[in-house]
Amino acid sequence: MLKAFRKNWDIQQNWQLLFPLLGVLGLAYSCFKLALVITKTYHITSTIILGVILFVAFLKFVLFIFKKLENKWIVEQRWEIIRIFIVFAITGSSSLFIGRPIIYAIGITKENLNPFLYWILFIIIGLVFYQILLVTFGWLFGQFKFFWEFEKKMLKRFGLGRFLN
């Protein structure tokens, strides 16, 4: 079974198994946290059952997305797609953790600013840090080239491509 898994994901070395393992653990944790939010109880049985159902559903969805992106994203080995997904997940979470204290340090709160303007500023600040963190985490996970190309495309779509030259 492990040989088939390794062959399916182009895994040649044991350390490369770390990324599918991290992906499955991250998905399981996210599904459990989502099940906790949905059940709003501490009745662990219903939470675990819902978590398992969510895990299976999201796993099928993620594998479907892998098939779609496999042809679009140019990677040397299939397991690298998992590594790219992990970078996107870490970056999204990190940009919120960094953006929230910065917006408070500036003195912007929901109480002293129109909620609509607050969320616009929060999203803008989050996007700025997202761009920086995406390339940084991409580099840390050995995917700098992929994320730098991705970043250049994104900046061009925002109309900021002239700053890349």
Side-chain angles (χ1 to χ4, degrees), residues 3 12 63 67-68 76-77 82 120 153 161:
K3 282 186 179 185
Q12 282 97 34
L63 292 174
K67 287 192 185 293
K68 294 291 183 189
E76 292 179 21
Q77 296 162 328
I82 299 169
I120 289 176
K153 284 183 197 174

Side-chain angles (χ1 to χ4, degrees), residues 1 5 53 55-56 58 87 92 114 143:
M1 183 170 138
F5 180 82
I53 292 168
F55 178 79
V56 170
F58 285 137
V87 169
N114 180 319
Q143 291 293 118

Side-chain angles (χ1 to χ4, degrees), residues 33 35 49 57-58 62 64 68 73 82 84 87 101 111 128 141:
K33 293 296 278 187
I49 291 170
F58 285 137
V62 167
F64 171 76
K68 294 291 183 189
W73 290 349
I82 299 169
I84 291 168
V87 169
E111 290 78 31
V128 168
F141 277 79

Side-chain angles (χ1 to χ4, degrees), residues 101-127:
I102 288 176
I103 204 161
Y104 287 131
I106 296 171
I108 299 172
T109 64
K110 294 176 195 171
E111 290 78 31
N112 68 6
L113 191 65
N114 180 319
F116 182 74
L117 289 174
Y118 170 83
W119 285 110
I120 289 176
L121 288 173
F122 186 78
I123 290 169
I124 291 170
I125 289 172
L127 276 173

Side-chain angles (χ1 to χ4, degrees), residues 49-106:
I49 291 170
L50 181 58
V52 169
I53 292 168
L54 289 171
F55 178 79
V56 170
F58 285 137
L59 183 61
K60 287 182 182 271
F61 177 71
V62 167
L63 292 174
F64 171 76
I65 297 294
F66 277 154
K67 287 192 185 293
K68 294 291 183 189
L69 293 175
E70 194 171 26
N71 298 324
K72 187 174 181 176
W73 290 349
I74 308 299
V75 293
E76 292 179 21
Q77 296 162 328
R78 198 164 179 231
W79 64 268
E80 290 179 300
I81 297 172
I82 299 169
R83 186 163 59 172
I84 291 168
F85 271 41
I86 291 170
V87 169
F88 278 123
I90 291 171
T91 303
S93 301
S94 299
S95 66
L96 287 176
F97 287 124
I98 290 173
R100 187 167 284 134
I102 288 176
I103 204 161
Y104 287 131
I106 296 171

Side-chain angles (χ1 to χ4, degrees), residues 8-28:
N8 186 39
W9 288 96
D10 300 327
I11 294 174
Q12 282 97 34
Q13 298 179 15
N14 287 336
W15 67 267
Q16 295 168 341
L17 288 167
L18 176 67
F19 295 105
L21 178 65
L22 285 175
V24 168
L25 289 175
L27 184 63

